[in-house]
Amino acid sequence: MIRMMRHALHEGRGALCLRSFSETRGEVIEDVLQRTDSARLTNEASLYVHWPYCLRRCSYCNFNKYIPRQNNDHMMTECLQRETETLLQLSQVSCITSVFFGGGTPSLAHPSTIAAVLETVSRQANLSDTAEVTLEVNPTPVGRSKLEDFFHAGVNRFSIGVQSLQDEDLKVLGRDHSPQQALLTVAEARRLCPGRVSVDVMFGRPKQSVESWENELSELLRVCDDHVSLYQLTLERGTQLFKQVLEGEVTLPTEEETAEMYLCARKTLHQHGLLQYEVSNFARQNAVSHHNRSYWKGTQYIGVGPGAHGRFVPVGEGGVLREARTQTLEPDIWMREVQQKGHATRRRIQLSHLELLEEVLVMGMRMTEGINHKHWELFSPQLGLHEVFGTSSDVQELLQRGQLILDERGLRCSWEGLALLDSLLPALLVELERRVSQRLQEDEHAKGQTNRTSPR
C-alpha cells in the first residue's frame, strides 16, 4: 500500500504542493481548493499524463523511462489521446481540475502532443481555461527553446528540474544540462508564466556539505520563482549511482547531515517568504501546485501513459468502489494494447474502505495543514479523527511530545513533527487499522443481534 503511494508521488514529483497554514509560524495561505461537497469526490478528477522517453538515464533514476529507438511521436500522441478518452469515459467525471505532464522527459514531446491531449480532455469533460496545466521541463537549450510553444499549446505552469547549481554534481547525477542553462530556462519560464514556475532541487548529493547546500540555496533563491520542491537523493537499487556507492566510488552524506540539510532548507526558504505547505514543497504568493494537492487530499486522479497510476471509480463499467489502476509499463507494448482495446490498464485493485482511509491519512499528513475533520468525514462518516486517534496511548505520547496536534481543526504534524513524519506514520496506521476492524466487528455483532430478535 505504501509502495503504491510512492508511485503517485513520483508521478507528480515536479509539482508536489499546497498549504493552508503553518501551525508554529502563524502564516495563512488561502485554501482555494477546499472541497465541501462529497459528490465532488466522484464528479471531479485530476489527470496525470506520462511521457516515457528520455535522451539519457540519470545515474540515480529508477522511474519508468526509456531511450527511444525511433521517432514514434505521432503514434504516441494518438495513443495518449485514445487512452485519455477511454479512461475519462470509464470514470464519467464531469470536470478535470488539473493536468500534469510528467515523465520521463515530457519536454521532449512536440508541443502539438500537449495540445492534442488537452483537446481530447476538453471533448470529454469540463477543463476550465484557468485549470492548472503543468509540464516538467529538462533545462537544456532544446527544452528552453520549446517553452513558448508549450505555453501556446495550453501549458500554464512549468516545473524545472534544476536539481543542482554545481557542475560537478550535475555530472555525477548524469544530468545533461549546466547550471547556466538551468538558470536561463528558469528565466524564460518565468517570462511566460510569472508566478507559476516551480524549481526542483536535490540535497544529500555526493560530497555535499551543509554549508555548500546553504550557499547553493541562497544562489537559487535569487533567481527562482514562487515555488520550490526539495528532494533528498535516495539510492535506488539497480541504478548506476547505487552501484557506484556500493563499490565505494561515491560517498553520500550521512543521515545526520541530510537531516541537517533539510532543516537548514526549511529555515532558509522560510526566511525568503517561501512557506512550507507539504513535506517537500514551499510556496509564496499562493503559488501552490493544485494538481499534487489532489493526491494529498485523496481525490480521484486518472493516470494515462506507460506505467501511469490512477485512483478512480470506473462508473462506466458499473463500478462503485475506487480502484488503484496501473498502466502497462513498456511503451511499445502499451501502444499495442491501447490500439487493441482503447486503454492499457495492466492492473486493477479495488480499494477497501481501510485501504482508502490509509491513503487519505498518509497523503494528508504530508501537508502542513494536515487533515481537517470535515474532509476526513467525507471518507469516514462513522469514525471521526478523535474516535480513531484520540484514545490511543501511542498517539497520545506523540501528542504530548508536541510532534502531533489533534484539536478542533483536525490532525496534523507540528513544525518539528513534519520532519519526522516517516517515524510517526506507523503508529497512526496501526491505530487506524485497529479502530476500523473494531468498528466492523461491532457492526457485524449488531447486525447479528438484529437478525436474532427480528420477527419471522
Side-chain angles (χ1 to χ4, degrees), residues 373 376 383-400 404-407 410-411 427-428 431-432 434-435 438:
H373 294 290
W376 179 261
L383 278 175
L385 289 170
H386 280 296
E387 291 176 275
V388 176
F389 303 109
T391 60
S392 165
S393 58
D394 289 340
V395 175
Q396 284 298 321
E397 184 177 344
L398 298 176
L399 294 170
Q400 290 168 8
L404 282 182
I405 300 168
L406 177 60
D407 57 16
L411 178 67
L428 295 175
E431 192 58 29
L432 176 62
R434 187 184 72 81
R435 290 293 291 123
Q438 184 182 60

Side-chain angles (χ1 to χ4, degrees), residues 303-362:
V304 168
H309 290 246
R311 299 284 189 279
F312 67 89
V313 179
V315 179
E317 291 184 341
V320 294
L321 294 177
R322 187 179 296 194
E323 291 183 353
R325 298 173 73 106
T326 306
Q327 308 310 102
T328 293
L329 287 172
E330 207 279 330
D332 290 343
I333 300 174
W334 173 84
M335 284 187 281
R336 186 165 65 245
E337 291 178 0
V338 171
Q339 290 170 330
Q340 290 172 350
K341 58 180 182 177
H343 68 87
T345 301
R346 178 60 59 91
R347 191 179 185 209
R348 298 171 58 178
I349 301 174
Q350 287 189 339
L351 296 177
S352 68
H353 186 224
L354 173 60
E355 288 170 327
L356 180 57
L357 291 182
E358 286 175 334
E359 292 201 2
V360 171
L361 175 68
V362 172

Side-chain angles (χ1 to χ4, degrees), residues 190-374:
R190 292 186 68 184
R191 181 184 72 81
L192 294 167
C193 299
R196 305 194 81 174
V197 177
S198 178
V199 171
D200 290 2
V201 62
M202 186 179 290
F203 67 97
R205 307 190 305 261
K207 299 182 181 178
Q208 190 179 32
S209 68
V210 175
E211 183 180 3
S212 66
W213 169 235
E214 190 170 11
N215 292 335
E216 186 174 7
L217 271 181
S218 297
E219 182 181 356
L220 183 71
L221 288 167
R222 285 195 290 269
V223 297
C224 77
D225 201 26
D226 292 336
H227 191 278
V228 172
S229 293
L230 295 180
Y231 296 101
Q232 180 180 337
L233 176 62
T234 55
L235 276 182
E236 301 290 352
R237 190 174 295 275
T239 63
Q240 180 185 348
L241 185 62
F242 182 89
K243 181 181 178 182
Q244 290 173 321
V245 171
L246 197 65
E247 295 177 351
E249 298 176 20
V250 173
T251 303
L252 297 182
T254 65
E255 288 187 12
E256 292 75 15
E257 288 172 325
T258 54
E260 190 175 350
M261 288 178 194
Y262 179 65
L263 295 175
C264 168
R266 296 175 86 195
K267 178 181 177 182
T268 301
L269 290 168
H270 190 268
Q271 289 172 344
H272 285 78
L274 286 142
L275 306 182
Q276 185 174 21
Y277 64 92
E278 191 268 345
V279 170
S280 301
N281 290 275
F282 302 75
R284 58 191 169 203
Q285 309 297 328
N286 255 351
V288 300
S289 164
H290 301 313
H291 178 85
N292 284 287
R293 178 130 190 284
S294 66
Y295 297 149
W296 302 324
K297 296 292 283 186
T299 56
Q300 292 192 123
Y301 58 95
I302 297 168
V304 168
H309 290 246
R311 299 284 189 279
F312 67 89
V313 179
V315 179
E317 291 184 341
V320 294
L321 294 177
R322 187 179 296 194
E323 291 183 353
R325 298 173 73 106
T326 306
Q327 308 310 102
T328 293
L329 287 172
E330 207 279 330
D332 290 343
I333 300 174
W334 173 84
M335 284 187 281
R336 186 165 65 245
E337 291 178 0
V338 171
Q339 290 170 330
Q340 290 172 350
K341 58 180 182 177
H343 68 87
T345 301
R346 178 60 59 91
R347 191 179 185 209
R348 298 171 58 178
I349 301 174
Q350 287 189 339
L351 296 177
S352 68
H353 186 224
L354 173 60
E355 288 170 327
L356 180 57
L357 291 182
E358 286 175 334
E359 292 201 2
V360 171
L361 175 68
V362 172
M363 303 300 271
M365 291 301 290
R366 293 182 61 89
M367 299 183 292
T368 53
E369 68 177 78
I371 306 167
N372 68 49
H373 294 290
K374 192 169 185 179

Side-chain angles (χ1 to χ4, degrees), residues 46-90:
S46 57
L47 176 70
Y48 173 80
V49 182
H50 187 76
W51 180 265
Y53 298 121
C54 287
L55 292 181
R56 61 192 292 185
R57 179 173 287 277
C58 298
S59 67
Y60 58 90
C61 181
N62 73 336
F63 292 140
N64 185 43
K65 57 172 60 175
Y66 300 83
I67 311 301
R69 295 187 295 271
Q70 59 187 8
N71 187 336
N72 58 4
D73 286 9
H74 180 69
M75 186 182 299
M76 175 62 68
T77 301
E78 288 186 349
C79 289
L80 287 174
Q81 286 183 277
R82 188 169 181 198
E83 186 167 69
T84 297
E85 181 177 42
T86 300
L87 296 185
L88 285 175
Q89 289 174 349
L90 286 177

